[in-house]
Structures are given as structure tokens and as C-alpha cells.
Amino acid sequence: DAGVTQSPTHLIKTRGQHVTLRCSPISGHKSVSWYQQVLGQGPQFIFQYYEKEERGRGNFPDRFSARQFPNYSSELNVNALLLGDSALYLCASSYGTLRTNEKLFFGSGTQLSVL
Amino acid sequence: GENVEQHPSTLSVQEGDSAVIKCTYSDSASNYFPWYKQELGKGPQLIIDIRSNVGEKKDQRIAVTLNKTAKHFSLHITETQPEDSAVYFCAAKDGANSKLTFGKGITLSVRP
């Protein structure tokens, strides 16, 4: 079975632009979470979606938004890119929400570079 | 909110030796503690996890122990192999939120 798939794998943008990152969860999983990983740090929580509804949001500005589609895939959008948004963006899927202690499985990420 | 700290930040061991990585957490309400292994160019891979109602869990060469009173948990790797070299992250989840809080990671190097 395919794991969590993310696209694109790498992306280069300039300041002020916007970006859309895409994620497909493991088949049968209904929840998608997004994390940002800055070089040398652990992943930091951005959003969780379950059954197309936002179930959690981390400490990120409103420039970050996401949505989940009926097929449980998800998009992360970042507007007005800043140099500090350069990071590895990780998507993770789980069958349910983490409130029920579901295991979280990560994709390989999208490496975003903002110049 | 939850704060997870890992120490040491780097660890080097000889092949065949054991490695122990320790983490502390701040929120006594946290109830789930996974460990992830991240290799270069890849996403974090779940290797073992433990829930707050269990003190120890083992899976082949890997084990995790949890001390709720002291609020710390540890990853134990026995008979280390060069392919165990990677960055290891601990994380914690509290019962109220739907997110994992990660430590900063430790780079484990296994010398052949």
C-alpha cells in the first residue's frame, strides 16, 4: 500500500508569492495534519483536518491556510511568503484524530525555499 | 502548552553497543509518547510509541520506558548497527489537543 504522498518534493519561490502544497493520506485514513520543520529542529504543528473539518491549529499566522477534500487529500496554502517560511513541510495521516491516540504517519515532505 | 526537551543533542556509539536517548516533557496531562527516526531527505518514521498507562514497551532491538512521575521517557536501542544512524525525535501528545509536540532531535552516529 502507498504511504503518505506529497507534491511537489521541492519548490523555490520568491518573497511575496503564494504556494500550494498537496498531500494524499494513506488509504483508509481520514485525518491529515501539517507540520513545518525548520533545519535542525523538530516538526512544528500547523493544522489538523478530520472529515474535512479543521480540528486543530498551531501558532502560525493567518497567511497559512489549509483544506481537506472529500477524498481526504489536503492542500496547505501559504500567502505572502517570507524568507522565514523556508522549511520542510510535512504531511501526516492518521485514521482518526489524535484525541483517540491514533498513530501518525508522515510523508517525505515538500522542501520549500523562499528567496 | 507542552514543552519537550531531548538530550543529548548528539550521540556517537560503537557498532554493537547500546544507545539511550532521553526526553522530558512538561505537561502532566500528556498521554501518548511516540519516537520517530528521520533519515536524510525523508520524513519522520514512527519506530515505537508508548501510552501513559504503560511503563515499558519493547520491539526487537528497540524499547521505550516511561516515568510519569518524573515526566521523562527514554528510547533504548541495543546491538546498534550503522543503519541506525539517523536523527531521532521524541514527541508528546496531551489529551486535550490533536497535535504532537516534538523535541529538537538527536543525531545518532553508529561507528562501524
Side-chain angles (χ1 to χ4, degrees), chain A residues 37 43 88 90 104-108, chain B residues 36-39 42-46 89 102:
Chain A
Q37 186 177 21
L88 180 67
L90 295 162
L104 201 61
F105 298 93
F106 284 88
S108 293
Chain B
Y36 286 85
K37 174 184 180 183
Q38 188 172 27
E39 297 174 289
K42 297 184 179 180
Q45 176 193 3
L46 179 65
F89 292 96
F102 284 81

Side-chain angles (χ1 to χ4, degrees), chain A residues 77-95:
Chain A
N77 294 283
V78 186
N79 293 324
L81 285 168
L82 303 174
L83 295 179
D85 295 331
S86 296
L88 180 67
Y89 288 84
L90 295 162
C91 174
S93 81
S94 56
Y95 179 75

